[in-house]
Amino acid sequence: MNKRIILGVSGSIAAYKSPDIVRRLQDLGAEVRVILTGGGREFVSERSLQTVSKNKVHDNLWDSEAELSMGHIELAKWADVVIIAPASANTIAKLCHGKADDLLSTVILATSASVMVAPSMNQQMYASLAMKDNLELLQKRGVRIIDPGFGEQACGDVGEGRLAEPSEIARQASELFQNNALGGKRVLITIGGTVEAIDPVRFLSNHSSGKMGMALAYASIQAGAETTLVIGSISVDVEKRAKTIFVTSANEMHEAVMANIHDQDLFISCAAVADYRPTKVSPNKIKKDSDKQTIELVANKDILSDVCQLKDKPICIGFAAETENYINNANQKLKNKQCDAIILNDVSNSAIGFKSDDNEVYFIARDGTDKINKNSKQIVAEKIIKKITKEFF
Ligand SMILES: Cc1cc2nc3c(=O)[nH]c(=O)nc-3n(C[C@H](O)[C@H](O)[C@H](O)COP(=O)(O)O)c2cc1C
């Protein structure tokens, strides 16, 4: 399936979030065109949506500039998916009745694309029997409903009816774009930083957020792989469709990987694993009783090397976060660890790498190096998984 998405924005106060939804959908690699209803126009500007979507915003059924004045048919045929977010009570009711009195409702009738609806309204409106019946009817017709959240609303009420988060809308949309490039394969990915205790309150760790690893997890699942994650310290949401094992230290991560590696086809070592840990962990909080303190460190086991040494090793991909001389260092790592490829990123550049939403990497295999240009971590992850699939499976 291509990734051509129409985002219908209707008259809910949450329409101001629609530019963010456009960006999240673009992060999936989608081209997005926006249809704005009359109600939607009251809450978000056409200019913002045109700027983020990089496309003209469509709002007029009677657009004489559209091909043969049939803009609704053109749009209906163009789309792979139509998402209405936010979907007002009025627009939902119109869909139920098959009305076609504006561009969005007419496109919905004319399209064979998948349709998703993200309701957004006051909690009492959402709880009404009419709304319940309407959503049930749409669901029966194959429309996918993106459930609203619970919480404080713009009107001051507290309850169910808040528009689902833009990231959740994009996540549900992306499930429609699954492919089977890694169908039947098993993938194990390590994610996040490790935490090495010094005493009961202090530790050594690093800046890893887990964003890149979780983006890879997502891409692996989208490619149809049965995906297991060994997760250290992270500050991102966990991919719910994966099997997850949570660990703290490098030793625990090593143990969890070794216990789960045997039937894997692909191992991606994305975690930022501490090379060293304190030789001794103080059982009590270390007191501030001198001007100097020395912490002696001992090397941790090397997870990637140990997996690469296994007799029936899976395809092994390592990550190298370097700050200098990086291509040489990464090539050295590829040789020393005997893995199949190294993904290198320059973490000295704060616009990419740790904590950033973007990344730019080099994919270094034995037969050559390819650059994956700067993009969102999700797109970079998708490209990495595609490259791995092409090279090794
Ligand atoms: C200030 C204000 C906020 C509104 N918020 C919502 C809302 O969050 N959800 C909703 O379904 N309707 C809301 N409405 C009502 C819709 O905007 C109205 O039903 C409109 O006709 C919807 O048009 P559309 O479905 O063509 O976009 C609101 C109206 C006003 C005046």
Side-chain angles (χ1 to χ4, degrees), residues 9-15 36-43 86-92 94 101-102 104 119-122 125 131 153-154 161:
V9 178
S10 63
S12 148
I13 194 131
L36 194 55
T37 67
R41 180 175 285 285
E42 296 293 321
F43 298 98
S88 69
N90 178 57
T91 287
I92 290 170
K94 286 206 301 192
D101 62 352
D102 65 3
L104 181 59
S120 167
M121 63 202 69
N122 163 272
M125 288 168 80
M131 182 53 56
Q153 301 195 296

PDB file of all heavy atoms in Angstrom, residues 9-15 36-43 86-92 94 101-102 104 119-122 125 131 153-154 161, ligand 1:
ATOM      1  N   VAL A   9     -10.304  17.476   8.562  1.00  0.00           N
ATOM      2  CA  VAL A   9     -10.297  18.232   9.825  1.00  0.00           C
ATOM      3  C   VAL A   9     -11.655  18.907   9.969  1.00  0.00           C
ATOM      4  O   VAL A   9     -12.022  19.760   9.156  1.00  0.00           O
ATOM      5  CB  VAL A   9      -9.167  19.292   9.815  1.00  0.00           C
ATOM      6  CG1 VAL A   9      -9.193  20.109  11.101  1.00  0.00           C
ATOM      7  CG2 VAL A   9      -7.805  18.615   9.633  1.00  0.00           C
ATOM      8  N   SER A  10     -12.424  18.491  10.984  1.00  0.00           N
ATOM      9  CA  SER A  10     -13.768  19.055  11.138  1.00  0.00           C
ATOM     10  C   SER A  10     -13.860  19.918  12.384  1.00  0.00           C
ATOM     11  O   SER A  10     -12.874  20.103  13.107  1.00  0.00           O
ATOM     12  CB  SER A  10     -14.816  17.936  11.105  1.00  0.00           C
ATOM     13  OG  SER A  10     -14.628  17.054  12.183  1.00  0.00           O
ATOM     14  N   GLY A  11     -15.075  20.433  12.626  1.00  0.00           N
ATOM     15  CA  GLY A  11     -15.272  21.531  13.585  1.00  0.00           C
ATOM     16  C   GLY A  11     -15.261  21.175  15.050  1.00  0.00           C
ATOM     17  O   GLY A  11     -16.261  21.367  15.763  1.00  0.00           O
ATOM     18  N   SER A  12     -14.135  20.671  15.519  1.00  0.00           N
ATOM     19  CA  SER A  12     -13.961  20.457  16.953  1.00  0.00           C
ATOM     20  C   SER A  12     -12.856  21.393  17.411  1.00  0.00           C
ATOM     21  O   SER A  12     -11.940  21.714  16.655  1.00  0.00           O
ATOM     22  CB  SER A  12     -13.536  19.008  17.218  1.00  0.00           C
ATOM     23  OG  SER A  12     -12.702  18.946  18.352  1.00  0.00           O
ATOM     24  N   ILE A  13     -12.950  21.767  18.674  1.00  0.00           N
ATOM     25  CA  ILE A  13     -11.935  22.676  19.210  1.00  0.00           C
ATOM     26  C   ILE A  13     -10.526  22.093  19.077  1.00  0.00           C
ATOM     27  O   ILE A  13      -9.552  22.833  18.942  1.00  0.00           O
ATOM     28  CB  ILE A  13     -12.294  23.015  20.675  1.00  0.00           C
ATOM     29  CG1 ILE A  13     -11.477  24.195  21.164  1.00  0.00           C
ATOM     30  CG2 ILE A  13     -12.168  21.851  21.605  1.00  0.00           C
ATOM     31  CD1 ILE A  13     -12.324  25.238  21.809  1.00  0.00           C
ATOM     32  N   ALA A  14     -10.450  20.748  19.038  1.00  0.00           N
ATOM     33  CA  ALA A  14      -9.132  20.102  18.938  1.00  0.00           C
ATOM     34  C   ALA A  14      -8.525  20.225  17.538  1.00  0.00           C
ATOM     35  O   ALA A  14      -7.407  19.755  17.305  1.00  0.00           O
ATOM     36  CB  ALA A  14      -9.245  18.627  19.323  1.00  0.00           C
ATOM     37  N   ALA A  15      -9.234  20.890  16.624  1.00  0.00           N
ATOM     38  CA  ALA A  15      -8.680  21.044  15.266  1.00  0.00           C
ATOM     39  C   ALA A  15      -7.337  21.767  15.297  1.00  0.00           C
ATOM     40  O   ALA A  15      -6.534  21.617  14.372  1.00  0.00           O
ATOM     41  CB  ALA A  15      -9.678  21.782  14.372  1.00  0.00           C
ATOM     42  N   LEU A  36     -10.538  20.501   4.801  1.00  0.00           N
ATOM     43  CA  LEU A  36     -11.005  21.272   5.955  1.00  0.00           C
ATOM     44  C   LEU A  36     -12.500  21.514   5.792  1.00  0.00           C
ATOM     45  O   LEU A  36     -12.944  21.987   4.733  1.00  0.00           O
ATOM     46  CB  LEU A  36     -10.233  22.595   5.954  1.00  0.00           C
ATOM     47  CG  LEU A  36     -10.237  23.496   7.168  1.00  0.00           C
ATOM     48  CD1 LEU A  36      -9.781  22.760   8.420  1.00  0.00           C
ATOM     49  CD2 LEU A  36      -9.327  24.710   6.910  1.00  0.00           C
ATOM     50  N   THR A  37     -13.285  21.200   6.825  1.00  0.00           N
ATOM     51  CA  THR A  37     -14.728  21.489   6.737  1.00  0.00           C
ATOM     52  C   THR A  37     -14.964  22.946   7.145  1.00  0.00           C
ATOM     53  O   THR A  37     -14.059  23.609   7.680  1.00  0.00           O
ATOM     54  CB  THR A  37     -15.547  20.590   7.691  1.00  0.00           C
ATOM     55  OG1 THR A  37     -15.208  20.957   9.036  1.00  0.00           O
ATOM     56  CG2 THR A  37     -15.271  19.114   7.475  1.00  0.00           C
ATOM     57  N   GLY A  38     -16.192  23.374   6.946  1.00  0.00           N
ATOM     58  CA  GLY A  38     -16.541  24.748   7.361  1.00  0.00           C
ATOM     59  C   GLY A  38     -16.310  24.924   8.852  1.00  0.00           C
ATOM     60  O   GLY A  38     -15.774  25.940   9.309  1.00  0.00           O
ATOM     61  N   GLY A  39     -16.698  23.891   9.633  1.00  0.00           N
ATOM     62  CA  GLY A  39     -16.493  23.964  11.092  1.00  0.00           C
ATOM     63  C   GLY A  39     -15.015  23.971  11.448  1.00  0.00           C
ATOM     64  O   GLY A  39     -14.559  24.745  12.292  1.00  0.00           O
ATOM     65  N   GLY A  40     -14.251  23.132  10.758  1.00  0.00           N
ATOM     66  CA  GLY A  40     -12.817  23.035  11.030  1.00  0.00           C
ATOM     67  C   GLY A  40     -12.120  24.375  10.823  1.00  0.00           C
ATOM     68  O   GLY A  40     -11.247  24.778  11.585  1.00  0.00           O
ATOM     69  N   ARG A  41     -12.557  25.095   9.789  1.00  0.00           N
ATOM     70  CA  ARG A  41     -11.946  26.389   9.449  1.00  0.00           C
ATOM     71  C   ARG A  41     -12.058  27.391  10.597  1.00  0.00           C
ATOM     72  O   ARG A  41     -11.268  28.320  10.723  1.00  0.00           O
ATOM     73  CB  ARG A  41     -12.656  26.919   8.197  1.00  0.00           C
ATOM     74  CG  ARG A  41     -12.166  28.241   7.683  1.00  0.00           C
ATOM     75  CD  ARG A  41     -12.871  28.579   6.382  1.00  0.00           C
ATOM     76  NE  ARG A  41     -12.348  27.783   5.284  1.00  0.00           N
ATOM     77  CZ  ARG A  41     -11.171  28.006   4.702  1.00  0.00           C
ATOM     78  NH1 ARG A  41     -10.409  28.977   5.123  1.00  0.00           N
ATOM     79  NH2 ARG A  41     -10.772  27.254   3.706  1.00  0.00           N
ATOM     80  N   GLU A  42     -13.077  27.194  11.461  1.00  0.00           N
ATOM     81  CA  GLU A  42     -13.262  28.105  12.608  1.00  0.00           C
ATOM     82  C   GLU A  42     -12.164  27.929  13.660  1.00  0.00           C
ATOM     83  O   GLU A  42     -11.985  28.771  14.528  1.00  0.00           O
ATOM     84  CB  GLU A  42     -14.629  27.846  13.280  1.00  0.00           C
ATOM     85  CG  GLU A  42     -15.837  28.130  12.413  1.00  0.00           C
ATOM     86  CD  GLU A  42     -15.986  29.617  12.098  1.00  0.00           C
ATOM     87  OE1 GLU A  42     -15.727  30.452  12.980  1.00  0.00           O
ATOM     88  OE2 GLU A  42     -16.354  29.932  10.937  1.00  0.00           O
ATOM     89  N   PHE A  43     -11.473  26.775  13.622  1.00  0.00           N
ATOM     90  CA  PHE A  43     -10.539  26.454  14.717  1.00  0.00           C
ATOM     91  C   PHE A  43      -9.079  26.361  14.305  1.00  0.00           C
ATOM     92  O   PHE A  43      -8.203  26.324  15.157  1.00  0.00           O
ATOM     93  CB  PHE A  43     -10.939  25.118  15.380  1.00  0.00           C
ATOM     94  CG  PHE A  43     -12.295  25.150  16.012  1.00  0.00           C
ATOM     95  CD1 PHE A  43     -13.392  24.640  15.344  1.00  0.00           C
ATOM     96  CD2 PHE A  43     -12.475  25.711  17.271  1.00  0.00           C
ATOM     97  CE1 PHE A  43     -14.647  24.671  15.918  1.00  0.00           C
ATOM     98  CE2 PHE A  43     -13.725  25.753  17.851  1.00  0.00           C
ATOM     99  CZ  PHE A  43     -14.819  25.234  17.175  1.00  0.00           C
ATOM    100  N   PRO A  86      -9.632  16.039  14.014  1.00  0.00           N
ATOM    101  CA  PRO A  86     -10.722  15.546  14.838  1.00  0.00           C
ATOM    102  C   PRO A  86     -12.005  15.370  14.018  1.00  0.00           C
ATOM    103  O   PRO A  86     -12.220  16.081  13.052  1.00  0.00           O
ATOM    104  CB  PRO A  86     -10.903  16.687  15.860  1.00  0.00           C
ATOM    105  CG  PRO A  86     -10.463  17.907  15.144  1.00  0.00           C
ATOM    106  CD  PRO A  86      -9.364  17.476  14.211  1.00  0.00           C
ATOM    107  N   ALA A  87     -12.831  14.405  14.482  1.00  0.00           N
ATOM    108  CA  ALA A  87     -14.133  14.189  13.855  1.00  0.00           C
ATOM    109  C   ALA A  87     -15.193  14.783  14.776  1.00  0.00           C
ATOM    110  O   ALA A  87     -15.339  14.352  15.922  1.00  0.00           O
ATOM    111  CB  ALA A  87     -14.376  12.703  13.639  1.00  0.00           C
ATOM    112  N   SER A  88     -15.912  15.772  14.277  1.00  0.00           N
ATOM    113  CA  SER A  88     -16.974  16.390  15.097  1.00  0.00           C
ATOM    114  C   SER A  88     -18.193  15.480  15.133  1.00  0.00           C
ATOM    115  O   SER A  88     -18.368  14.616  14.249  1.00  0.00           O
ATOM    116  CB  SER A  88     -17.353  17.746  14.506  1.00  0.00           C
ATOM    117  OG  SER A  88     -18.008  17.543  13.267  1.00  0.00           O
ATOM    118  N   ALA A  89     -19.070  15.721  16.114  1.00  0.00           N
ATOM    119  CA  ALA A  89     -20.317  14.944  16.226  1.00  0.00           C
ATOM    120  C   ALA A  89     -21.116  15.103  14.938  1.00  0.00           C
ATOM    121  O   ALA A  89     -21.692  14.133  14.419  1.00  0.00           O
ATOM    122  CB  ALA A  89     -21.103  15.442  17.434  1.00  0.00           C
ATOM    123  N   ASN A  90     -21.116  16.328  14.406  1.00  0.00           N
ATOM    124  CA  ASN A  90     -21.877  16.604  13.190  1.00  0.00           C
ATOM    125  C   ASN A  90     -21.354  15.802  12.002  1.00  0.00           C
ATOM    126  O   ASN A  90     -22.124  15.158  11.268  1.00  0.00           O
ATOM    127  CB  ASN A  90     -21.787  18.114  12.903  1.00  0.00           C
ATOM    128  CG  ASN A  90     -22.506  18.500  11.635  1.00  0.00           C
ATOM    129  OD1 ASN A  90     -23.697  18.250  11.494  1.00  0.00           O
ATOM    130  ND2 ASN A  90     -21.777  19.084  10.706  1.00  0.00           N
ATOM    131  N   THR A  91     -20.026  15.804  11.816  1.00  0.00           N
ATOM    132  CA  THR A  91     -19.447  15.080  10.678  1.00  0.00           C
ATOM    133  C   THR A  91     -19.690  13.582  10.829  1.00  0.00           C
ATOM    134  O   THR A  91     -20.022  12.887   9.863  1.00  0.00           O
ATOM    135  CB  THR A  91     -17.938  15.418  10.561  1.00  0.00           C
ATOM    136  OG1 THR A  91     -17.834  16.750  10.061  1.00  0.00           O
ATOM    137  CG2 THR A  91     -17.214  14.484   9.614  1.00  0.00           C
ATOM    138  N   ILE A  92     -19.574  13.064  12.062  1.00  0.00           N
ATOM    139  CA  ILE A  92     -19.833  11.626  12.290  1.00  0.00           C
ATOM    140  C   ILE A  92     -21.280  11.292  11.913  1.00  0.00           C
ATOM    141  O   ILE A  92     -21.550  10.297  11.230  1.00  0.00           O
ATOM    142  CB  ILE A  92     -19.523  11.260  13.765  1.00  0.00           C
ATOM    143  CG1 ILE A  92     -18.006  11.321  13.986  1.00  0.00           C
ATOM    144  CG2 ILE A  92     -20.086   9.886  14.139  1.00  0.00           C
ATOM    145  CD1 ILE A  92     -17.562  11.220  15.440  1.00  0.00           C
ATOM    146  N   LYS A  94     -23.143  12.829   9.816  1.00  0.00           N
ATOM    147  CA  LYS A  94     -23.294  12.903   8.353  1.00  0.00           C
ATOM    148  C   LYS A  94     -22.785  11.623   7.681  1.00  0.00           C
ATOM    149  O   LYS A  94     -23.399  11.121   6.744  1.00  0.00           O
ATOM    150  CB  LYS A  94     -22.532  14.122   7.813  1.00  0.00           C
ATOM    151  CG  LYS A  94     -23.236  15.426   8.122  1.00  0.00           C
ATOM    152  CD  LYS A  94     -22.918  16.549   7.161  1.00  0.00           C
ATOM    153  CE  LYS A  94     -21.468  16.900   7.073  1.00  0.00           C
ATOM    154  NZ  LYS A  94     -21.265  18.162   6.347  1.00  0.00           N
ATOM    155  N   ASP A 101     -22.928  16.757   1.549  1.00  0.00           N
ATOM    156  CA  ASP A 101     -23.217  18.183   1.355  1.00  0.00           C
ATOM    157  C   ASP A 101     -21.981  19.070   1.524  1.00  0.00           C
ATOM    158  O   ASP A 101     -22.090  20.280   1.572  1.00  0.00           O
ATOM    159  CB  ASP A 101     -24.335  18.643   2.305  1.00  0.00           C
ATOM    160  CG  ASP A 101     -23.954  18.486   3.762  1.00  0.00           C
ATOM    161  OD1 ASP A 101     -22.877  17.884   4.037  1.00  0.00           O
ATOM    162  OD2 ASP A 101     -24.704  18.959   4.621  1.00  0.00           O
ATOM    163  N   ASP A 102     -20.799  18.453   1.694  1.00  0.00           N
ATOM    164  CA  ASP A 102     -19.559  19.224   1.649  1.00  0.00           C
ATOM    165  C   ASP A 102     -18.465  18.316   1.080  1.00  0.00           C
ATOM    166  O   ASP A 102     -18.712  17.126   0.811  1.00  0.00           O
ATOM    167  CB  ASP A 102     -19.182  19.827   3.024  1.00  0.00           C
ATOM    168  CG  ASP A 102     -18.849  18.781   4.073  1.00  0.00           C
ATOM    169  OD1 ASP A 102     -18.840  17.561   3.747  1.00  0.00           O
ATOM    170  OD2 ASP A 102     -18.579  19.153   5.227  1.00  0.00           O
ATOM    171  N   LEU A 104     -15.689  16.943   2.344  1.00  0.00           N
ATOM    172  CA  LEU A 104     -15.231  15.780   3.116  1.00  0.00           C
ATOM    173  C   LEU A 104     -16.248  14.639   3.062  1.00  0.00           C
ATOM    174  O   LEU A 104     -15.901  13.493   2.760  1.00  0.00           O
ATOM    175  CB  LEU A 104     -14.947  16.191   4.585  1.00  0.00           C
ATOM    176  CG  LEU A 104     -14.447  15.073   5.487  1.00  0.00           C
ATOM    177  CD1 LEU A 104     -13.152  14.448   4.968  1.00  0.00           C
ATOM    178  CD2 LEU A 104     -14.230  15.589   6.928  1.00  0.00           C
ATOM    179  N   PRO A 119     -13.026  10.634  17.023  1.00  0.00           N
ATOM    180  CA  PRO A 119     -14.013  11.563  17.583  1.00  0.00           C
ATOM    181  C   PRO A 119     -13.370  12.513  18.593  1.00  0.00           C
ATOM    182  O   PRO A 119     -12.441  12.145  19.298  1.00  0.00           O
ATOM    183  CB  PRO A 119     -15.016  10.632  18.306  1.00  0.00           C
ATOM    184  CG  PRO A 119     -14.711   9.268  17.832  1.00  0.00           C
ATOM    185  CD  PRO A 119     -13.289   9.245  17.410  1.00  0.00           C
ATOM    186  N   SER A 120     -13.918  13.715  18.667  1.00  0.00           N
ATOM    187  CA  SER A 120     -13.412  14.690  19.635  1.00  0.00           C
ATOM    188  C   SER A 120     -14.536  15.643  19.981  1.00  0.00           C
ATOM    189  O   SER A 120     -15.026  16.378  19.119  1.00  0.00           O
ATOM    190  CB  SER A 120     -12.259  15.463  18.999  1.00  0.00           C
ATOM    191  OG  SER A 120     -11.952  16.579  19.788  1.00  0.00           O
ATOM    192  N   MET A 121     -14.963  15.578  21.219  1.00  0.00           N
ATOM    193  CA  MET A 121     -16.102  16.424  21.613  1.00  0.00           C
ATOM    194  C   MET A 121     -16.261  16.427  23.120  1.00  0.00           C
ATOM    195  O   MET A 121     -15.605  15.650  23.826  1.00  0.00           O
ATOM    196  CB  MET A 121     -17.394  15.925  20.945  1.00  0.00           C
ATOM    197  CG  MET A 121     -17.808  14.539  21.360  1.00  0.00           C
ATOM    198  SD  MET A 121     -18.899  13.727  20.195  1.00  0.00           S
ATOM    199  CE  MET A 121     -17.850  13.440  18.802  1.00  0.00           C
ATOM    200  N   ASN A 122     -17.160  17.263  23.590  1.00  0.00           N
ATOM    201  CA  ASN A 122     -17.520  17.335  24.999  1.00  0.00           C
ATOM    202  C   ASN A 122     -17.961  15.947  25.498  1.00  0.00           C
ATOM    203  O   ASN A 122     -18.598  15.202  24.759  1.00  0.00           O
ATOM    204  CB  ASN A 122     -18.651  18.367  25.133  1.00  0.00           C
ATOM    205  CG  ASN A 122     -19.385  18.262  26.434  1.00  0.00           C
ATOM    206  OD1 ASN A 122     -20.344  17.500  26.544  1.00  0.00           O
ATOM    207  ND2 ASN A 122     -18.923  19.004  27.414  1.00  0.00           N
ATOM    208  N   MET A 125     -21.582  15.020  25.048  1.00  0.00           N
ATOM    209  CA  MET A 125     -21.904  14.736  23.633  1.00  0.00           C
ATOM    210  C   MET A 125     -21.417  13.329  23.274  1.00  0.00           C
ATOM    211  O   MET A 125     -22.114  12.554  22.626  1.00  0.00           O
ATOM    212  CB  MET A 125     -21.212  15.749  22.697  1.00  0.00           C
ATOM    213  CG  MET A 125     -21.781  17.140  22.729  1.00  0.00           C
ATOM    214  SD  MET A 125     -20.696  18.306  21.864  1.00  0.00           S
ATOM    215  CE  MET A 125     -21.114  18.034  20.152  1.00  0.00           C
ATOM    216  N   MET A 131     -24.561   9.357  19.674  1.00  0.00           N
ATOM    217  CA  MET A 131     -23.147   9.183  19.312  1.00  0.00           C
ATOM    218  C   MET A 131     -22.747   7.718  19.404  1.00  0.00           C
ATOM    219  O   MET A 131     -22.070   7.191  18.526  1.00  0.00           O
ATOM    220  CB  MET A 131     -22.285  10.071  20.233  1.00  0.00           C
ATOM    221  CG  MET A 131     -20.811  10.023  19.937  1.00  0.00           C
ATOM    222  SD  MET A 131     -20.377  10.351  18.213  1.00  0.00           S
ATOM    223  CE  MET A 131     -21.123  11.937  17.976  1.00  0.00           C
ATOM    224  N   GLN A 153     -11.326  18.828  29.664  1.00  0.00           N
ATOM    225  CA  GLN A 153     -11.647  19.286  28.315  1.00  0.00           C
ATOM    226  C   GLN A 153     -11.610  20.809  28.227  1.00  0.00           C
ATOM    227  O   GLN A 153     -11.650  21.492  29.264  1.00  0.00           O
ATOM    228  CB  GLN A 153     -13.030  18.758  27.929  1.00  0.00           C
ATOM    229  CG  GLN A 153     -13.079  17.238  27.975  1.00  0.00           C
ATOM    230  CD  GLN A 153     -14.272  16.682  27.264  1.00  0.00           C
ATOM    231  OE1 GLN A 153     -15.397  16.920  27.678  1.00  0.00           O
ATOM    232  NE2 GLN A 153     -14.029  15.948  26.192  1.00  0.00           N
ATOM    233  N   ALA A 154     -11.597  21.311  26.988  1.00  0.00           N
ATOM    234  CA  ALA A 154     -11.504  22.767  26.784  1.00  0.00           C
ATOM    235  C   ALA A 154     -12.651  23.488  27.486  1.00  0.00           C
ATOM    236  O   ALA A 154     -12.488  24.598  27.999  1.00  0.00           O
ATOM    237  CB  ALA A 154     -11.516  23.068  25.295  1.00  0.00           C
ATOM    238  N   GLY A 161     -13.700  11.974  25.707  1.00  0.00           N
ATOM    239  CA  GLY A 161     -14.089  12.730  24.519  1.00  0.00           C
ATOM    240  C   GLY A 161     -12.957  13.553  23.937  1.00  0.00           C
ATOM    241  O   GLY A 161     -13.067  14.098  22.842  1.00  0.00           O
TER     242      GLY A 161
HETATM  243  C1  LIG B   1     -16.511  26.976  20.506  1.00  0.00           C
HETATM  244  C2  LIG B   1     -17.048  25.729  19.889  1.00  0.00           C
HETATM  245  C3  LIG B   1     -16.430  24.534  20.125  1.00  0.00           C
HETATM  246  C4  LIG B   1     -16.907  23.345  19.553  1.00  0.00           C
HETATM  247  N1  LIG B   1     -16.275  22.191  19.807  1.00  0.00           N
HETATM  248  C5  LIG B   1     -16.770  21.044  19.274  1.00  0.00           C
HETATM  249  C6  LIG B   1     -16.120  19.814  19.533  1.00  0.00           C
HETATM  250  O1  LIG B   1     -15.074  19.745  20.202  1.00  0.00           O
HETATM  251  N2  LIG B   1     -16.654  18.693  18.981  1.00  0.00           N
HETATM  252  C7  LIG B   1     -17.767  18.707  18.211  1.00  0.00           C
HETATM  253  O2  LIG B   1     -18.206  17.645  17.769  1.00  0.00           O
HETATM  254  N3  LIG B   1     -18.405  19.861  17.966  1.00  0.00           N
HETATM  255  C8  LIG B   1     -17.943  21.043  18.461  1.00  0.00           C
HETATM  256  N4  LIG B   1     -18.569  22.215  18.193  1.00  0.00           N
HETATM  257  C9  LIG B   1     -19.725  22.198  17.297  1.00  0.00           C
HETATM  258  C10 LIG B   1     -19.327  22.060  15.827  1.00  0.00           C
HETATM  259  O3  LIG B   1     -18.322  23.002  15.488  1.00  0.00           O
HETATM  260  C11 LIG B   1     -20.536  22.217  14.926  1.00  0.00           C
HETATM  261  O4  LIG B   1     -21.395  21.113  15.136  1.00  0.00           O
HETATM  262  C12 LIG B   1     -20.195  22.344  13.464  1.00  0.00           C
HETATM  263  O5  LIG B   1     -21.402  22.409  12.730  1.00  0.00           O
HETATM  264  C13 LIG B   1     -19.397  21.175  12.962  1.00  0.00           C
HETATM  265  O6  LIG B   1     -19.204  21.305  11.589  1.00  0.00           O
HETATM  266  P1  LIG B   1     -18.405  20.244  10.712  1.00  0.00           P
HETATM  267  O7  LIG B   1     -18.762  18.893  11.223  1.00  0.00           O
HETATM  268  O8  LIG B   1     -18.861  20.473   9.317  1.00  0.00           O
HETATM  269  O9  LIG B   1     -16.986  20.564  10.862  1.00  0.00           O
HETATM  270  C14 LIG B   1     -18.079  23.395  18.734  1.00  0.00           C
HETATM  271  C15 LIG B   1     -18.680  24.615  18.496  1.00  0.00           C
HETATM  272  C16 LIG B   1     -18.191  25.766  19.063  1.00  0.00           C
HETATM  273  C17 LIG B   1     -18.891  27.073  18.778  1.00  0.00           C
END
